[in-house]
Amino acid sequence: MIRHLGYACKNMTLGNKVLTDRTLREARFTLERVDDLVLKNSQDLITIMQWNADNEIKFFRIGSGLFPFMDHPKQYYKFEDLKNWPLIAANIAVAGKIAADNGIRLSCHPGPYTCLASPDNLTVIKSVKTIEMHAMLGKMLCLPTDDFVINFHMGGVYGDKRETAKRFINNLNTLLTDWERKHITIENDDKASMWSISDLVEYGIGNKVRLVLDVHHHRFCNRESLHDAADMAFETWPTDQVPKIHYSESAEGKKPQAHSDYIFDPIPNDLHSRDYDVMIEAKAKELALQAYQRKYQLLHS
DNA sequence: ATAGGTCAAGCGAGG
DNA sequence: CCTCGCTTGACCTAT
């Protein structure tokens, strides 16, 4: 059964002045500019988290744009290089405290350029840097539990799933820390040739990390029923943890994989006997979540 | 003040 | 070969 509903990264209600992904063009990069942006991003993360608490939203994805260029291969800066780093760290810890005090589950989702299994070594190195940056964020939240996850995709098939899975597992084992390994989840893909939940299980990924079922992606890439996918994905989550799924719908007039502003259909509530939390991926963000709750009269606390 | 082009990035599908 | 779509539009320049 569905437990909490969540939304991702940005808040429409608070408007476009409250942002956690202020950035700048690479050509304009200076440490002073980025310091100012990161400080503002961290302050607004508090604002959004407090809004979540006030509105009883208990599942939220933190955006990946908090620290512009921090995972860039040119290594423009490290966190400690920021003059305001103590204040920024404190802000992020406050956001984490609000989440912890209000039972808000937090996750993050490094982007499609995170390709840990790439045959290209530079791509792997960049992917590791991205994962490290998200891990730093996860630690800075100072959460009292290990519930925070860094969720991403395999990144590609590269013509051979078995070899790619071996590279993934090898890179996972050798290039990442225990903390990072422990907090990674992998999500199924939205193209038929790519990674279904059953593929992730069959090729051993599900033995190494937990799997997140994306219901929308499953439509485009499946070698198993949705219920079987849920069974397989949830099996990778210890029974004292609540598994997560993603839910979204197609936008009209675009590729079917594109996300709609709002969601209209009922989210499957019978995927599993276990409780699960649902990350709603809709362009209208928390407005889509709230509209869904009103429409279906759901009282997800 | 706003419109429109631009942006750091990997992969695969489709035209 | 180009565009789209993904985690997410915001930045920047010219008007």
Side-chain angles (χ1 to χ4, degrees):
Chain A
M1 284 183 50
I2 298 169
R3 189 181 64 164
H4 304 319
L5 301 180
Y7 72 101
C9 305
K10 66 181 285 194
N11 185 294
M12 313 299 280
T13 307
L14 292 170
N16 58 9
K17 299 293 179 219
V18 178
L19 301 173
T20 65
D21 60 348
R22 293 176 185 83
T23 184
L24 75 172
R25 294 284 173 269
E26 186 176 14
R28 282 172 42 83
F29 182 94
T30 65
L31 197 55
E32 291 71 28
R33 286 194 179 110
V34 87
D35 199 333
D36 179 57
L37 293 174
V38 177
L39 181 61
K40 288 188 171 114
N41 286 343
S42 69
Q43 287 165 342
D44 284 355
L45 182 64
I46 296 176
T47 305
I48 293 175
M49 206 63 70
Q50 188 58 53
W51 188 95
N52 292 340
D54 294 342
N55 290 274
E56 298 183 348
I57 286 173
K58 306 219 178 266
F59 187 17
F60 180 68
R61 175 189 300 166
I62 299 177
S64 296
L66 229 44
F67 313 101
F69 290 91
M70 188 180 279
D71 59 348
H72 193 281
K74 287 182 186 162
Q75 308 210 58
Y76 281 100
Y77 69 105
K78 299 190 297 294
F79 182 68
E80 317 86 68
D81 297 333
L82 300 173
K83 179 167 55 64
N84 285 313
W85 76 259
L87 199 47
I88 294 161
N91 283 342
I92 293 173
V94 168
K97 178 83 162 58
I98 295 168
D101 288 349
N102 291 277
I104 301 170
R105 288 190 98 179
L106 296 178
S107 58
C108 65
H109 196 339
Y113 309 111
T114 313
C115 302
L116 189 60
S118 174
D120 172 35
N121 195 42
L122 181 59
T123 300
V124 173
I125 290 169
K126 287 191 276 193
S127 301
V128 169
K129 280 186 70 78
T130 296
I131 293 166
E132 287 171 347
M133 181 182 77
H134 287 82
M136 183 195 74
L137 165 66
K139 293 175 185 175
M140 283 173 47
L141 290 164
C142 301
L143 299 172
T145 69
D146 282 328
D147 185 54
F148 181 82
V149 296
I150 304 170
N151 178 66
F152 52 97
H153 292 259
M154 291 294 286
V157 168
Y158 312 97
D160 186 332
K161 279 184 184 151
R162 192 161 300 282
E163 284 303 311
T164 298
K166 279 169 65 178
R167 277 198 308 276
F168 180 91
I169 291 169
N170 185 57
N171 290 341
L172 188 77
N173 287 338
T174 59
L175 303 179
L176 300 181
T177 65
D178 281 336
W179 196 98
E180 288 156 0
R181 271 190 288 279
K182 189 176 174 186
H183 291 81
I184 284 172
T185 61
I186 293 292
E187 175 182 343
N188 56 308
D189 286 310
D190 63 0
K191 294 187 188 76
S193 68
M194 294 183 75
W195 299 87
S196 66
I197 290 288
S198 53
D199 290 333
L200 294 168
V201 170
E202 179 180 344
Y203 293 99
I205 308 301
N207 287 330
K208 300 297 295 185
V209 298
R210 290 162 289 174
L211 303 180
V212 170
L213 167 64
D214 187 307
V215 173
H216 189 232
H217 293 173
H218 176 270
R219 290 177 52 203
F220 309 105
C221 174
N222 63 75
R223 284 159 265 291
E224 73 284 352
S225 72
L226 183 60
H227 278 78
D228 287 347
D231 282 343
M232 286 185 254
F234 288 14
E235 185 73 20
T236 66
W237 292 73
T239 51
D240 62 344
Q241 300 177 4
V242 176
K244 298 179 175 182
I245 70 168
H246 292 177
Y247 182 85
S248 57
E249 294 175 12
S250 299
E252 284 191 51
K254 296 186 181 173
K255 292 193 179 195
Q257 284 86 350
H259 292 161
S260 57
D261 290 341
Y262 287 83
I263 57 173
F264 306 99
D265 302 329
I267 303 169
N269 193 36
D270 64 345
L271 288 179
H272 207 276
S273 56
R274 287 170 72 174
D275 279 353
Y276 47 93
D277 291 339
V278 183
M279 174 58 58
I280 295 174
E281 295 174 323
K283 299 286 187 195
K285 303 299 176 189
E286 88 290 354
L287 299 177
L289 188 162
Q290 292 175 317
Y292 179 88
Q293 285 180 322
R294 282 194 298 276
K295 177 172 178 181
Y296 290 99
Q297 307 273 302
L298 291 179
L299 298 171
H300 298 298
S301 53

